Amino acid sequence: MANVSGGKLTAAISAAGGLGMLGAGSAVTADWIRTEGAIAAAGGKPYGIGLMAWSVEHRPEHLEAVLELKPALVSLSFGDYAPYVEPLRQAGIVVATQAGTVADARAAITAGVDVIVARGAEAGGHGRNAVATLPLLQAILDLTDLPVLAGGGISGPRGLAAVLAAGAAGGWIGTAFLTCDEALTSEPVRQRVIEADETATVYGTVFDAASRAGWPDEFGGRALRNSYFETWQGREEELKTDDAGHAEYVEGTRAADPARASIYAGQGVGALSGRPTAAEVLDGFATYRTYLQAALNGDAK
């Protein structure tokens, strides 16, 4: 949720009954994390911060800022996060990591994390494209007694009811908040997200090759398909050294041009409409019990 979930959205989600997550991208400064973290914490509700392990390796000051803030939870994924688990836990912070395969989950257990996120291929943003959410969730639940959250394709209360019924401790939800009033999402991007249907996403490393941010090729990203992606798909290695292609992407990102910028979103994007508040989104998810009860009564629709 980098470039989407700043302190305002994080605080709003937590205030509405969820656990808001501050998206600390690799390009932000440690002071940005401190400032936005303070906004997230101002309401007095628990919140979390998301970091990428590959980025922390080069930006240790990100971890230092997080340890100063002491959020309730830190998500560390994508790279060698093991060295950071114990320092976070010693600070009283719950540590989560995203697993895209059973092998990822086994590594997380070995590393000593507190929570595993079963991140399916349907999910927006970065991760693996190997296994869908439901089969991955079932396999990881059979593997461990640790709390397991389900991420990927959970666009509303029906999806949340489904993963809770399977045994997940909760949902790890991002796409549903992309168009929220409190999000950092620009207006052109917000409108493009609203217009997208469930077939509009694509998975790959084109945007990472263009950005040169440092993402490992192992972890591609699911985003809305656009003309920039179509131009460079299959030419990612060429793009990594193509200065004109890089400049076009950077310019498109600065201009919030949906045709050139990366708009990370999951397959649940088709369910989005309008510009709700975070509280309204959470209120919708809170009706999941209706679907669980209907299933128990044998009258689910």
Side-chain angles (χ1 to χ4, degrees):
M1 295 292 280
N3 304 315
V4 173
S5 187
K8 186 177 180 181
L9 179 60
T10 302
I13 292 172
S14 291
L19 181 73
M21 292 292 295
L22 181 66
S26 60
V28 303
T29 65
D31 283 342
W32 184 93
I33 295 174
R34 292 186 182 95
T35 299
E36 297 299 316
I39 294 171
K45 299 292 186 180
Y47 73 100
I49 298 177
L51 298 172
M52 290 88 67
W54 65 265
S55 177
V56 172
E57 182 180 355
H58 303 291
R59 302 288 300 272
E61 68 271 20
H62 283 186
L63 184 65
E64 293 167 7
V66 168
L67 287 168
E68 291 173 19
L69 289 166
K70 292 188 178 179
L73 179 144
V74 166
S75 171
L76 256 173
S77 309
F78 315 128
D80 183 12
Y81 55 84
Y84 315 119
V85 172
E86 198 53 35
L88 288 164
R89 296 191 71 203
Q90 287 180 359
I93 300 170
V94 174
V95 180
T97 195
Q98 299 182 53
T101 63
V102 170
D104 284 348
R106 292 186 189 279
I109 294 167
T110 300
V113 304
D114 301 295
V115 178
I116 297 175
V117 179
R119 183 207 174 277
E122 303 98 318
H126 287 85
R128 301 195 191 279
N129 195 39
V131 189
T133 302
L134 193 55
L136 179 64
L137 173 64
Q138 294 172 87
I140 295 178
L141 285 169
D142 287 341
L143 178 69
T144 181
D145 291 329
L146 287 174
V148 179
L149 304 178
I154 304 173
S155 58
R158 291 181 186 274
L160 182 57
V163 298
L164 291 175
W172 186 258
I173 299 162
T175 298
F177 296 97
L178 285 179
T179 64
C180 280
D181 184 62
E182 301 92 342
L184 298 174
T185 310
S186 66
E187 286 308 314
V189 170
R190 182 179 277 109
Q191 189 57 41
R192 175 66 186 96
V193 169
I194 291 171
E195 294 169 354
D197 65 19
E198 77 282 1
T199 69
T201 68
V202 66
Y203 178 91
T205 61
V206 167
F207 296 124
D208 296 323
S211 72
R212 302 181 184 177
W215 271 97
D217 287 342
E218 180 181 2
F219 305 107
R222 182 169 296 284
L224 297 187
R225 181 185 292 276
N226 61 15
S227 58
Y228 187 92
F229 185 94
E230 291 176 344
T231 296
W232 287 101
Q233 186 176 23
R235 300 165 56 201
E236 291 84 356
E237 288 302 314
E238 177 186 348
L239 179 56
K240 289 178 181 179
T241 57
D242 189 299
D243 291 340
H246 169 66
E248 181 183 4
Y249 174 81
V250 171
E251 181 184 335
T253 300
R254 289 174 178 166
D257 179 4
R260 293 178 291 168
S262 54
I263 304 174
Y264 289 105
Q267 291 181 340
V269 69
L272 273 60
S273 62
R275 184 174 178 155
T277 64
E280 289 170 338
V281 174
L282 265 295
D283 283 347
F285 276 109
T287 64
Y288 73 89
R289 294 180 181 85
T290 302
Y291 301 102
L292 288 178
Q293 191 60 54
L296 288 172
N297 295 339
D299 58 357
K301 296 182 180 178

